[in-house]
Amino acid sequence: NAGVTQTPKFQVLKTGQSMTLQCAQDMNHEYMSWYRQDPGMGLRLIHYSVGAGITDQGEVPNGYNVSRSTTEDFPLRLLSAAPSQTSVYFCASSLIPGEQYFGPGTRLTVT
Amino acid sequence: AQTVTQSQPEMSVQEAETVTLSCTYDTSESNYYLFWYKQPPSRQMILVIRQEAYKQQNATENRFSVNFQKAAKSFSLKISDSQLGDTAMYFCALEDSNYQLIWGAGTKLIIKP
């Protein structure tokens, strides 16, 4: 049982490039979400999904796309990277309220 | 809008002392969960303790306990017999009925030898 995995751990992009952050969980959790963490702040919700085929926006969705074709995977796409998207990104999953499991995070730098 | 506020940006105590981290929140929901997460330099989010709002009894996990005051919307974390390994950022978070977590800005806790 690997829990929540994220790849890559680190990534450097140039402004305007696109990329996909991968998130996978093997716990058969319906709920998955993406957060970003900026220095000196708590996490902020980008997008979330309550099951395969269902996604919705969180607090800071601009510049990001998501899809949920399977229960296990929830990739986050940066369409055209900007320096303001430099952050640490966390993926989380949950089966029931009050139990969220976090991945190890991806540190993204956009130059 | 739901909010979580941590008013202590940084705290430091001597090893073996007791320290209390403060958290206040605002929500209109009747049932919700409150959490304290620890984030060491490795940046992994580690769940420290969880409290269900409808439970009056304060949650306890070994050296960690909470003081949950529902009417005052206060949720403080007490760490007893603090250890060097407790040095980390600590985040208070509120989970709403849509599974969404609302986070405080964090408190940096330093345990001095």
Side-chain angles (χ1 to χ4, degrees):
Chain A
N1 203 341
V4 181
T5 58
Q6 290 183 238
T7 55
K9 285 188 168 52
F10 302 93
Q11 183 71 49
V12 178
L13 291 178
K14 293 189 187 316
T15 296
Q17 287 184 317
S18 62
M19 79 159 296
T20 298
L21 306 185
Q22 301 291 345
C23 174
Q25 51 88 12
D26 59 359
M27 299 173 281
N28 204 32
H29 288 174
E30 292 293 331
Y31 182 84
M32 296 184 74
S33 55
W34 277 101
Y35 293 87
R36 61 177 287 172
Q37 183 181 26
D38 300 315
M41 299 179 68
L43 279 65
R44 291 184 294 167
L45 183 65
I46 305 171
H47 284 285
Y48 65 97
S49 169
V50 298
I54 306 168
T55 63
D56 207 344
Q57 297 181 351
E59 179 186 356
V60 288
N62 292 341
Y64 307 94
N65 270 359
V66 292
S67 60
R68 185 93 180 270
S69 56
T70 67
T71 299
E72 294 76 22
D73 300 298
F74 190 43
L76 178 72
R77 297 183 186 83
L78 278 71
L79 308 172
S80 177
S84 62
Q85 294 179 304
T86 293
S87 191
V88 178
Y89 291 83
F90 287 96
C91 179
S93 75
S94 176
L95 181 62
I96 60 175
E99 283 191 8
Q100 297 222 18
Y101 296 82
F102 283 85
T106 294
R107 182 178 293 278
L108 175 68
T109 302
V110 183
T111 61
Chain B
Q2 300 178 101
T3 59
V4 175
T5 303
Q6 293 178 250
S7 58
Q8 304 151 312
E10 184 170 323
M11 297 186 70
S12 66
V13 297
Q14 295 293 137
E15 191 177 8
E17 289 184 346
T18 294
V19 59
T20 298
L21 308 184
S22 301
C23 173
T24 58
Y25 63 94
D26 192 22
T27 180
S28 57
E29 301 201 359
S30 58
N31 195 25
Y32 48 90
Y33 289 84
L34 291 161
F35 305 88
W36 279 98
Y37 281 91
K38 171 184 177 181
Q39 187 179 41
S42 67
R43 76 168 181 261
Q44 176 74 46
M45 280 294 180
I46 301 167
L47 177 63
V48 175
I49 200 163
R50 173 180 63 199
Q51 175 80 43
E52 298 175 67
Y54 70 87
K55 288 189 176 178
Q56 293 187 336
Q57 187 172 6
N58 288 327
T60 300
E61 288 287 345
N62 301 315
R63 297 183 294 108
F64 300 89
S65 61
V66 298
N67 184 5
F68 174 46
Q69 302 288 329
K70 191 172 183 178
K73 295 183 178 175
S74 170
F75 183 61
S76 61
L77 175 70
K78 185 171 83 170
I79 305 174
S80 303
D81 186 26
S82 57
Q83 301 174 359
L84 296 179
D86 295 333
T87 293
M89 285 292 293
Y90 285 80
F91 292 94
C92 179
L94 165 72
E95 182 183 283
D96 66 16
S97 57
N98 293 319
Y99 292 67
Q100 296 184 29
L101 285 170
I102 297 95
W103 297 76
T107 296
K108 183 177 182 180
L109 177 63
I110 299 169
I111 309 299
K112 297 181 286 188

